Amino acid sequence: MELTELCFAGAARQARAVRDGEVSAADLVAEHLRRIERIDPRLNAFRLVFAEQALAEAERADARRGEDLPLLGVPIAVKEDIAIAGLPTTKGTNAARTPQPRDSAIVQRLRAAGAVIIGRTRMPELGLWPFTESRWAGPTRNPWSLTHSPGGSSGGSAAAVAAGLAAAAIGTDGAGSIRIPAAMTGLFGLKPQRGRVSLAPEPQMWGGMVVAGPLTRTVADWALVADQIHGAAPGDAHVAHPPRTTFTAAASTDPGRLRIGVSLRPWGPGIAIADEVRDAVQDTAALLTDLGHDVVRLDPPMRDLSASTQFAARYLHNAHLAHTGMEFPDLVEARTRAVSELGRRVPKPVARWAAKDDAALTAHANRVFSSIDVLLTPALTRPPIRVGEWDSRSAFTALLAASHYTTFLPLWNIVGNPAASVPAGRSSAGLPLAVQLVGRQHDECTLLSLSAQLERARPWADRTPSGLDHAN
């Protein structure tokens, strides 16, 4: 396999190539770095590229060939809200300056598995938006169309993987921020169960709404990386139940006959779903039926007013806390300050109510799984948005547009269930479409088995963006 092909082959294939001596880690990492140098000026996926360190790590990886290291020599990118020793955790801002004393648990575990940390990927300031753009850093662009966004807040991570600049990348998801960019760039992105992957040194983020996990080209890639990084650390506020098997085993196991509910009911009134998105969900439902599953239409009531109020209050309150907690809060952008001001205005009793784990809402949302095993919904309500599409909007109206766009996603951050964005074809303009699969609490394994079955029936990873290597 040519090196360029290998850059698009994903983490599992690259790990096997290094392990079998098909390619050296040094050559693999060097090729990714050459691609970053050539392509990333147009994508803006990386905030920092660790070229010198990555090459040194790759040489050390080659010296360790033969050891049982599942990610030996594999170049992986990490979102800029995850701590890396010696660097401030920038979270899309210029308002953090103090270097972290040690790596996060995620980065420690990646390194222990032999991975090469190739760079730090961009996000919108404080992770507030479903796009990755800022006044000071400019927009991050979608490898499938440079006029479109790769989503957010893990937009840099998604763009890097989709463009073959990293084998996999780590993202975080507080209201869809893994699933949104995965959906917009044709990747697989599974938001794990709350507490599945330690966020140490943070005990939790955004009051427990944020989880971390991989963005990858294939289901097997996700499983391989997640197998290396999951698990609790001392001080974690949340700890997931142990998975019933390894994620890699789940991704290679037939799911059996499942009961699958299909919902096209948006979370709130007055929200339209694009015809292409509706068709993608219905086509996926038909495919699942052909694969032998029991598929039924099911639009469970989700206590729209209570859930949406709780999410909005928690989101805005945490945005205010994140802003005021920065080292240099005056350096954040005007749009971020406007969102923070909305959060400051949330009445304290409402903020306290919203910050609590809502056992009643969690039980209510999970009642749907008394009759089904997996819930199928749209991932987003329309195909990828354009770069700068909401620039002229006020903070409030931009937030409203974002909530309509991502209506099917945030509930599962509030209640903690695992949920995956699975590629589901292309729009008429050739842009990626996706569906969301939601599982029972603590049950990523069923989602992985089902997603892998869909991938076998409807492969997506063999498609790669055209023109990136040749465009000016």
Side-chain angles (χ1 to χ4, degrees):
M1 182 178 286
E2 295 291 331
L3 274 175
T4 298
E5 284 184 87
L6 200 54
C7 288
F8 285 102
R13 179 68 180 86
Q14 289 185 20
R16 187 166 71 251
V18 172
R19 183 175 63 248
D20 294 348
E22 181 181 339
V23 67
S24 69
D27 285 346
L28 181 65
V29 170
E31 179 63 18
H32 280 82
L33 290 170
R34 282 191 289 269
R35 289 184 61 79
I36 292 170
E37 183 178 17
R38 187 169 67 249
I39 294 168
D40 197 52
R42 282 171 278 134
L43 291 182
N44 196 28
F46 285 89
R47 179 158 183 169
L48 288 173
V49 179
F50 307 138
E52 185 176 338
Q53 302 97 309
L55 288 171
E57 288 178 27
E59 290 179 1
R60 289 194 291 271
D62 283 325
R64 301 181 69 184
R65 183 176 290 156
E67 296 184 32
D68 185 16
L69 298 170
L71 293 174
L72 184 66
V74 176
I76 292 181
V78 177
K79 187 177 177 182
E80 62 174 305
D81 61 350
I82 296 168
I84 296 178
L87 296 172
T89 303
T90 43
K91 301 180 182 179
T93 79
N94 280 323
R97 303 289 173 82
T98 300
Q100 292 291 322
R102 62 186 63 86
D103 287 336
S104 62
I106 292 169
V107 172
Q108 290 176 22
R109 292 167 180 176
L110 287 171
R111 294 192 199 279
V116 174
I117 309 302
I118 200 166
R120 168 171 265 183
T121 53
R122 291 198 182 276
M123 60 185 285
E125 197 164 58
L126 303 186
L128 296 180
W129 303 102
F131 51 80
T132 300
E133 302 170 22
S134 65
R135 299 289 183 192
W136 67 273
T140 297
R141 298 179 183 274
N142 194 321
W144 295 98
S145 166
L146 297 182
T147 60
H148 286 80
S149 174
S153 63
S154 306
S157 292
V161 177
L165 310 185
I170 305 300
T172 54
D173 188 317
S177 293
I178 287 174
R179 290 160 289 164
I180 295 163
M184 294 170 75
T185 59
L187 301 178
F188 181 72
L190 194 162
K191 175 193 85 69
Q193 170 71 31
R194 177 185 295 144
R196 177 67 65 207
V197 177
S198 176
L199 298 172
E202 303 288 341
Q204 64 176 1
M205 295 181 185
W206 284 64
M209 288 176 60
V210 171
V211 298
L215 289 109
T216 58
R217 300 193 62 79
T218 70
V219 179
D221 289 343
W222 192 97
L224 174 64
V225 177
D227 272 336
Q228 315 314 314
I229 66 172
H230 80 78
D236 285 356
H238 308 278
V239 178
H241 299 171
R244 65 175 180 266
T245 184
T246 67
F247 294 138
T248 297
S252 59
T253 301
D254 189 276
R257 185 168 185 164
L258 299 175
R259 300 167 298 167
I260 299 172
V262 182
S263 178
L264 288 161
R265 180 181 180 275
W267 185 26
I271 300 174
I273 301 174
D275 289 343
E276 289 179 307
V277 170
R278 190 178 296 271
D279 290 345
V281 173
Q282 293 172 339
D283 288 347
T284 302
L287 175 56
L288 290 166
T289 300
D290 291 342
L291 291 169
H293 301 290
D294 297 323
V295 181
V296 297
R297 180 65 183 263
L298 182 66
D299 287 324
M302 288 299 185
R303 290 187 181 174
D304 295 335
L305 183 60
S306 172
S308 58
T309 300
Q310 182 175 14
F311 170 70
R314 187 183 289 195
Y315 172 91
L316 292 172
H317 178 65
N318 279 290
H320 177 63
L321 293 178
H323 168 218
T324 56
M326 298 302 295
E327 290 179 79
F328 302 96
D330 291 344
L331 295 183
V332 303
E333 296 186 336
R335 181 163 57 185
T336 302
R337 292 197 298 273
V339 176
S340 177
E341 175 60 20
L342 292 172
R344 187 187 66 80
R345 296 178 185 177
V346 174
K348 289 183 179 179
V350 175
R352 285 194 295 270
W353 163 75
K356 294 178 181 177
D357 287 336
D358 191 331
L361 178 60
T362 299
H364 183 81
N366 278 278
R367 208 164 292 157
V368 67
F369 296 108
S370 63
S371 60
I372 61 172
D373 301 302
V374 173
L375 181 65
L376 167 66
T377 77
L380 301 167
T381 56
R382 47 169 284 204
I385 60 174
R386 290 185 174 275
V387 168
E389 184 167 329
W390 297 337
D391 278 356
S392 62
R393 294 176 181 260
S394 68
F396 177 80
T397 57
L399 289 173
L400 186 62
S403 71
H404 286 197
Y405 189 44
T406 64
T407 181
F408 290 95
L409 308 182
L411 174 66
W412 307 108
N413 293 87
I414 295 175
V415 303
N417 292 51
S421 175
V422 183
R426 299 278 154 168
S427 72
S428 59
L431 297 171
L433 297 172
V435 297
Q436 177 179 232
L437 297 177
V438 185
R440 290 189 176 93
Q441 291 204 310
H442 307 281
D443 188 15
E444 295 95 335
C445 289
T446 296
L447 294 183
L448 289 167
S449 296
L450 184 60
S451 299
Q453 186 183 47
L454 283 171
E455 184 181 12
R456 289 191 297 273
R458 187 176 62 194
W460 59 74
D462 56 339
R463 297 191 65 169
T464 58
S466 61
L468 287 177
D469 287 294
H470 308 294
N472 293 322

mmCIF file of all heavy atoms in Angstrom, residues 12 30 41 60 102 115 143 150-151 180-181 185 187 189 209 249 267 275 320 339 350 411 434 452 454:
data_model
loop_
_atom_site.group_PDB
_atom_site.id
_atom_site.type_symbol
_atom_site.label_atom_id
_atom_site.label_comp_id
_atom_site.label_asym_id
_atom_site.label_seq_id
_atom_site.Cartn_x
_atom_site.Cartn_y
_atom_site.Cartn_z
ATOM 1 N N ALA A 12 -6.522 1.175 12.770
ATOM 2 C CA ALA A 12 -6.297 -0.266 12.880
ATOM 3 C C ALA A 12 -5.368 -0.765 11.772
ATOM 4 O O ALA A 12 -4.452 -1.564 12.021
ATOM 5 C CB ALA A 12 -7.629 -1.006 12.836
ATOM 6 N N ALA A 30 6.173 10.724 9.239
ATOM 7 C CA ALA A 30 6.727 11.753 8.349
ATOM 8 C C ALA A 30 5.768 12.054 7.198
ATOM 9 O O ALA A 30 5.611 13.216 6.800
ATOM 10 C CB ALA A 30 8.085 11.305 7.812
ATOM 11 N N PRO A 41 -2.786 24.326 5.661
ATOM 12 C CA PRO A 41 -3.012 25.763 5.484
ATOM 13 C C PRO A 41 -4.378 26.092 4.884
ATOM 14 O O PRO A 41 -4.915 27.174 5.109
ATOM 15 C CB PRO A 41 -1.867 26.169 4.542
ATOM 16 C CG PRO A 41 -0.766 25.218 4.874
ATOM 17 C CD PRO A 41 -1.467 23.916 5.143
ATOM 18 N N ARG A 60 11.336 6.196 18.378
ATOM 19 C CA ARG A 60 11.286 5.350 19.574
ATOM 20 C C ARG A 60 10.302 4.194 19.370
ATOM 21 O O ARG A 60 10.540 3.076 19.845
ATOM 22 C CB ARG A 60 10.909 6.175 20.796
ATOM 23 C CG ARG A 60 12.010 7.133 21.250
ATOM 24 C CD ARG A 60 11.752 7.691 22.635
ATOM 25 N NE ARG A 60 10.615 8.612 22.661
ATOM 26 C CZ ARG A 60 10.712 9.924 22.441
ATOM 27 N NH1 ARG A 60 11.897 10.466 22.160
ATOM 28 N NH2 ARG A 60 9.645 10.695 22.504
ATOM 29 N N ARG A 102 1.129 18.027 33.690
ATOM 30 C CA ARG A 102 1.199 16.636 33.223
ATOM 31 C C ARG A 102 0.134 16.394 32.163
ATOM 32 O O ARG A 102 -0.818 17.157 32.020
ATOM 33 C CB ARG A 102 1.028 15.667 34.388
ATOM 34 C CG ARG A 102 -0.303 15.764 35.091
ATOM 35 C CD ARG A 102 -0.350 14.876 36.325
ATOM 36 N NE ARG A 102 0.636 15.315 37.310
ATOM 37 C CZ ARG A 102 0.402 16.273 38.207
ATOM 38 N NH1 ARG A 102 -0.776 16.886 38.235
ATOM 39 N NH2 ARG A 102 1.333 16.637 39.056
ATOM 40 N N ALA A 115 0.929 5.186 20.754
ATOM 41 C CA ALA A 115 0.516 6.186 19.781
ATOM 42 C C ALA A 115 1.490 7.359 19.752
ATOM 43 O O ALA A 115 2.128 7.690 20.759
ATOM 44 C CB ALA A 115 -0.889 6.686 20.093
ATOM 45 N N PRO A 143 -12.974 19.033 4.621
ATOM 46 C CA PRO A 143 -12.205 18.488 3.500
ATOM 47 C C PRO A 143 -13.047 18.128 2.277
ATOM 48 O O PRO A 143 -12.524 18.098 1.159
ATOM 49 C CB PRO A 143 -11.565 17.225 4.098
ATOM 50 C CG PRO A 143 -11.510 17.483 5.562
ATOM 51 C CD PRO A 143 -12.746 18.283 5.872
ATOM 52 N N PRO A 150 -16.625 21.842 8.964
ATOM 53 C CA PRO A 150 -16.537 20.459 9.430
ATOM 54 C C PRO A 150 -17.289 20.254 10.733
ATOM 55 O O PRO A 150 -17.199 19.185 11.341
ATOM 56 C CB PRO A 150 -15.036 20.264 9.635
ATOM 57 C CG PRO A 150 -14.586 21.602 10.117
ATOM 58 C CD PRO A 150 -15.436 22.613 9.364
ATOM 59 N N GLY A 151 -18.009 21.288 11.183
ATOM 60 C CA GLY A 151 -18.753 21.172 12.435
ATOM 61 C C GLY A 151 -17.927 21.565 13.639
ATOM 62 O O GLY A 151 -16.812 22.074 13.532
ATOM 63 N N ILE A 180 -21.591 15.820 15.798
ATOM 64 C CA ILE A 180 -21.790 16.846 14.765
ATOM 65 C C ILE A 180 -20.670 16.809 13.729
ATOM 66 O O ILE A 180 -20.931 16.671 12.529
ATOM 67 C CB ILE A 180 -21.907 18.246 15.404
ATOM 68 C CG1 ILE A 180 -23.150 18.347 16.283
ATOM 69 C CG2 ILE A 180 -21.940 19.329 14.323
ATOM 70 C CD1 ILE A 180 -23.115 19.521 17.260
ATOM 71 N N PRO A 181 -19.400 16.944 14.131
ATOM 72 C CA PRO A 181 -18.342 16.934 13.104
ATOM 73 C C PRO A 181 -18.189 15.585 12.416
ATOM 74 O O PRO A 181 -17.827 15.541 11.234
ATOM 75 C CB PRO A 181 -17.088 17.337 13.879
ATOM 76 C CG PRO A 181 -17.400 17.091 15.304
ATOM 77 C CD PRO A 181 -18.862 17.284 15.461
ATOM 78 N N THR A 185 -18.399 15.291 8.227
ATOM 79 C CA THR A 185 -17.183 14.938 7.490
ATOM 80 C C THR A 185 -17.142 13.468 7.076
ATOM 81 O O THR A 185 -16.123 13.002 6.562
ATOM 82 C CB THR A 185 -15.921 15.258 8.321
ATOM 83 O OG1 THR A 185 -15.978 14.532 9.553
ATOM 84 C CG2 THR A 185 -15.809 16.742 8.598
ATOM 85 N N LEU A 187 -17.330 10.672 8.996
ATOM 86 C CA LEU A 187 -16.601 9.810 9.919
ATOM 87 C C LEU A 187 -17.558 9.080 10.855
ATOM 88 O O LEU A 187 -18.746 9.389 10.932
ATOM 89 C CB LEU A 187 -15.616 10.634 10.751
ATOM 90 C CG LEU A 187 -14.554 11.414 9.989
ATOM 91 C CD1 LEU A 187 -13.700 12.201 10.967
ATOM 92 C CD2 LEU A 187 -13.684 10.495 9.141
ATOM 93 N N GLY A 189 -18.373 8.622 14.700
ATOM 94 C CA GLY A 189 -18.120 9.284 15.970
ATOM 95 C C GLY A 189 -19.122 8.835 17.013
ATOM 96 O O GLY A 189 -20.313 9.113 16.887
ATOM 97 N N MET A 209 -21.884 17.104 31.450
ATOM 98 C CA MET A 209 -22.412 16.948 30.089
ATOM 99 C C MET A 209 -21.359 16.485 29.105
ATOM 100 O O MET A 209 -21.680 15.864 28.084
ATOM 101 C CB MET A 209 -23.026 18.270 29.609
ATOM 102 C CG MET A 209 -24.334 18.611 30.297
ATOM 103 S SD MET A 209 -24.985 20.219 29.799
ATOM 104 C CE MET A 209 -25.206 19.995 28.042
ATOM 105 N N ALA A 249 -13.888 -6.418 20.249
ATOM 106 C CA ALA A 249 -14.694 -7.628 20.096
ATOM 107 C C ALA A 249 -16.121 -7.275 19.698
ATOM 108 O O ALA A 249 -16.726 -7.926 18.840
ATOM 109 C CB ALA A 249 -14.673 -8.444 21.381
ATOM 110 N N TRP A 267 -36.701 17.667 18.850
ATOM 111 C CA TRP A 267 -36.782 18.006 20.268
ATOM 112 C C TRP A 267 -37.211 19.472 20.386
ATOM 113 O O TRP A 267 -36.400 20.361 20.588
ATOM 114 C CB TRP A 267 -35.423 17.760 20.906
ATOM 115 C CG TRP A 267 -35.384 17.942 22.384
ATOM 116 C CD1 TRP A 267 -36.404 17.816 23.274
ATOM 117 C CD2 TRP A 267 -34.227 18.287 23.163
ATOM 118 N NE1 TRP A 267 -35.971 18.045 24.549
ATOM 119 C CE2 TRP A 267 -34.637 18.339 24.515
ATOM 120 C CE3 TRP A 267 -32.897 18.544 22.852
ATOM 121 C CZ2 TRP A 267 -33.746 18.644 25.555
ATOM 122 C CZ3 TRP A 267 -32.027 18.843 23.879
ATOM 123 C CH2 TRP A 267 -32.443 18.894 25.214
ATOM 124 N N ASP A 275 -35.423 17.224 3.582
ATOM 125 C CA ASP A 275 -35.858 15.997 2.922
ATOM 126 C C ASP A 275 -34.719 14.991 2.785
ATOM 127 O O ASP A 275 -34.917 13.782 2.953
ATOM 128 C CB ASP A 275 -36.432 16.318 1.545
ATOM 129 C CG ASP A 275 -37.784 17.024 1.609
ATOM 130 O OD1 ASP A 275 -38.427 16.983 2.684
ATOM 131 O OD2 ASP A 275 -38.182 17.623 0.590
ATOM 132 N N HIS A 320 -20.935 30.665 31.031
ATOM 133 C CA HIS A 320 -20.525 31.801 31.872
ATOM 134 C C HIS A 320 -19.397 31.385 32.814
ATOM 135 O O HIS A 320 -18.399 32.122 32.956
ATOM 136 C CB HIS A 320 -21.723 32.307 32.661
ATOM 137 C CG HIS A 320 -21.402 33.424 33.604
ATOM 138 N ND1 HIS A 320 -20.942 34.649 33.163
ATOM 139 C CD2 HIS A 320 -21.440 33.495 34.965
ATOM 140 C CE1 HIS A 320 -20.724 35.435 34.210
ATOM 141 N NE2 HIS A 320 -21.014 34.760 35.302
ATOM 142 N N VAL A 339 -22.518 35.246 24.886
ATOM 143 C CA VAL A 339 -23.100 34.004 25.413
ATOM 144 C C VAL A 339 -22.915 33.939 26.923
ATOM 145 O O VAL A 339 -23.830 33.559 27.667
ATOM 146 C CB VAL A 339 -22.478 32.776 24.729
ATOM 147 C CG1 VAL A 339 -23.011 31.490 25.352
ATOM 148 C CG2 VAL A 339 -22.767 32.791 23.233
ATOM 149 N N VAL A 350 -32.502 28.574 39.110
ATOM 150 C CA VAL A 350 -32.622 27.810 37.869
ATOM 151 C C VAL A 350 -31.286 27.147 37.530
ATOM 152 O O VAL A 350 -31.245 25.976 37.121
ATOM 153 C CB VAL A 350 -33.084 28.718 36.716
ATOM 154 C CG1 VAL A 350 -33.082 27.960 35.393
ATOM 155 C CG2 VAL A 350 -34.470 29.279 36.999
ATOM 156 N N LEU A 411 -29.995 15.868 24.362
ATOM 157 C CA LEU A 411 -30.667 15.111 25.419
ATOM 158 C C LEU A 411 -29.769 14.012 25.965
ATOM 159 O O LEU A 411 -29.725 13.757 27.178
ATOM 160 C CB LEU A 411 -31.962 14.505 24.883
ATOM 161 C CG LEU A 411 -32.693 13.560 25.847
ATOM 162 C CD1 LEU A 411 -33.193 14.331 27.060
ATOM 163 C CD2 LEU A 411 -33.826 12.839 25.147
ATOM 164 N N ALA A 434 -25.618 11.722 7.775
ATOM 165 C CA ALA A 434 -25.429 10.752 8.844
ATOM 166 C C ALA A 434 -26.725 10.541 9.600
ATOM 167 O O ALA A 434 -27.640 11.376 9.552
ATOM 168 C CB ALA A 434 -24.336 11.222 9.804
ATOM 169 N N ALA A 452 -21.089 -1.478 12.953
ATOM 170 C CA ALA A 452 -20.188 -2.257 12.099
ATOM 171 C C ALA A 452 -20.972 -3.063 11.071
ATOM 172 O O ALA A 452 -20.525 -3.229 9.922
ATOM 173 C CB ALA A 452 -19.328 -3.182 12.957
ATOM 174 N N LEU A 454 -23.836 -2.104 9.757
ATOM 175 C CA LEU A 454 -24.199 -1.108 8.741
ATOM 176 C C LEU A 454 -23.014 -0.788 7.844
ATOM 177 O O LEU A 454 -23.168 -0.639 6.618
ATOM 178 C CB LEU A 454 -24.704 0.167 9.416
ATOM 179 C CG LEU A 454 -26.122 0.148 9.959
ATOM 180 C CD1 LEU A 454 -26.393 1.398 10.790
ATOM 181 C CD2 LEU A 454 -27.136 0.045 8.826
#
